[in-house]
Amino acid sequence: MTAEQITLKTMTTEHLNDAVELSRHVGWPHRREDWELMQSLSQGVVVQEEERVVGTILMTPYGDDAATVNMVIVDAAMRGRGLGRKLMEEALARAGERTCYLVATQEGLPLYEKLGFVATGKIVQHQGLAPSVDAPAHVSWGEDCDHARLVVLDRAAFGHDRSALMGSLRERAKFAVVRDEGDVQAFAAIRRFGRGLVIGPVVARKLHEARCLIDFLLADSADEFVRIDTDETTDLGEWLTRRGLAHVGGGITMRRTAGEPKDETTPHRTYALVSQALR
């Protein structure tokens, strides 16, 4: 490999077939449709060696103050040559002064720490065939007119503007909701992803409410493959295991604040779960 053979390019839809293959090689389940969603919301970069995609990264902005870094993949044969760092530096340059978030593997942790990220917690992943459960009577399907309210609740839970993401999910996901006196106060989304379905985001006021929302979606998806990723602080892990969704791994949540430290908005909804629209 020489410098002349390696190029960094802005990701376009022309790169997506190669990106799908690259993610499959590292054991990730993303379909082309999943990549299309992420790429449409993000600024992506690929590394090419003689026109072959050997690395990817996505920077997904949430308004002007935050972003997530996703799909950081380097072909196994190309590792140890600094490509991961080049991709990260390019993504961070595109993020500018935004606070950046990512979910790290243990292997990627040293690089992210060198680039100024600090660990903030852990994500745990559960998956398996959805069990047959009763749908809670007080949970119902959301309606199209609920969308603006869902965007407000999502922002309150996550602390940043994810209206673009929520707009994309509006076209791809079904939403379960809890209403109080007619107003939506909690919700959960489910959509096609990877090997089957993914649940997330889930925004609820208390643990029991989060469980009811998830049960409603499981009841509608009996015997289908379902994945859900949660922050370990939500205490949903053991309950999901009892529901038959096995704990199969997870990652380390990290944050990097560019420039001067900013006051971070603290989500007030304890059971805001990670959305699997983006990895």
Side-chain angles (χ1 to χ4, degrees):
M1 180 184 77
T2 66
E4 290 75 19
Q5 294 172 312
I6 294 295
T7 57
L8 269 69
K9 293 183 178 180
T10 296
M11 181 185 289
T12 70
T13 55
E14 295 179 356
H15 299 118
L16 292 185
N17 285 339
D18 286 346
V20 171
E21 288 303 311
L22 194 61
S23 58
R24 286 175 178 169
H25 290 163
V26 296
W28 293 1
H30 299 68
R31 309 163 303 155
R32 181 183 170 93
E33 294 91 335
D34 302 322
W35 271 98
E36 287 173 347
L37 169 60
M38 295 183 293
Q39 192 264 339
S40 71
L41 294 167
S42 307
Q43 296 181 35
V45 178
V46 298
V47 175
Q48 289 185 302
E49 181 190 36
E50 298 179 344
E51 303 305 314
R52 182 173 71 95
V53 173
V54 296
T56 62
I57 198 166
L58 298 175
M59 186 281 294
T60 309
Y62 296 149
D64 296 327
D65 62 343
T68 57
V69 179
N70 314 282
M71 305 307 289
V72 186
I73 310 175
V74 175
D75 187 286
M78 305 295 289
R79 293 174 189 169
R81 307 185 191 188
L83 296 185
R85 187 180 187 100
K86 288 181 182 294
L87 285 166
M88 283 296 301
E89 289 174 345
E90 181 65 23
L92 293 176
R94 294 181 181 221
E97 294 299 305
R98 293 180 175 90
T99 296
C100 288
Y101 302 88
L102 58 77
V103 179
T105 61
Q106 197 64 44
E107 293 77 11
L109 193 61
L111 169 61
Y112 302 139
E113 289 177 334
K114 290 176 183 177
L115 292 171
F117 283 86
V118 296
T120 58
K122 291 183 179 179
I123 292 295
V124 291
Q125 181 184 136
H126 288 78
Q127 63 184 37
L129 296 181
S132 295
V133 296
D134 294 329
H138 68 289
V139 182
S140 60
W141 290 114
E143 301 173 4
D144 194 59
C145 60
D146 295 323
H147 179 72
R149 176 62 175 165
L150 301 185
V151 172
V152 169
L153 292 175
D154 182 82
R155 180 162 188 166
F158 286 88
H160 299 293
D161 177 13
R162 304 201 312 172
S163 55
L165 169 61
M166 292 296 291
S168 291
L169 292 182
R170 183 181 191 178
E171 304 301 322
R172 295 168 173 84
K174 295 194 297 184
F175 291 87
V177 301
V178 174
R179 302 179 190 273
D180 285 349
E181 298 182 354
D183 292 331
V184 175
Q185 301 297 337
F187 74 88
I190 190 167
R191 67 179 180 86
R192 289 286 161 191
F193 171 85
R195 294 171 56 187
L197 298 165
V198 65
I199 294 175
V202 178
V203 174
R205 295 166 292 184
K206 51 190 176 182
L207 178 59
H208 176 70
E209 192 168 60
R211 289 176 175 176
C212 288
L213 285 162
I214 295 168
D215 265 351
F216 184 88
L217 298 178
L218 292 176
D220 188 63
S221 310
D223 296 325
E224 291 209 59
F225 185 86
V226 175
R227 168 178 167 174
I228 180 168
D229 292 12
T230 69
D231 188 296
E232 67 173 358
T233 62
T234 62
D235 296 326
L236 283 167
E238 291 185 7
W239 177 79
L240 289 169
T241 299
R242 293 195 301 272
R243 278 288 187 262
L245 303 181
H247 176 205
V248 295
I252 303 160
T253 56
M254 306 191 80
R255 181 179 68 214
R256 176 184 185 268
T257 303
E260 293 297 320
K262 303 173 185 177
D263 292 334
E264 294 294 328
T265 301
T266 302
H268 73 271
R269 295 184 181 275
T270 306
Y271 297 101
L273 278 64
V274 171
S275 168
Q276 280 305 303
L278 304 171
R279 183 175 178 93

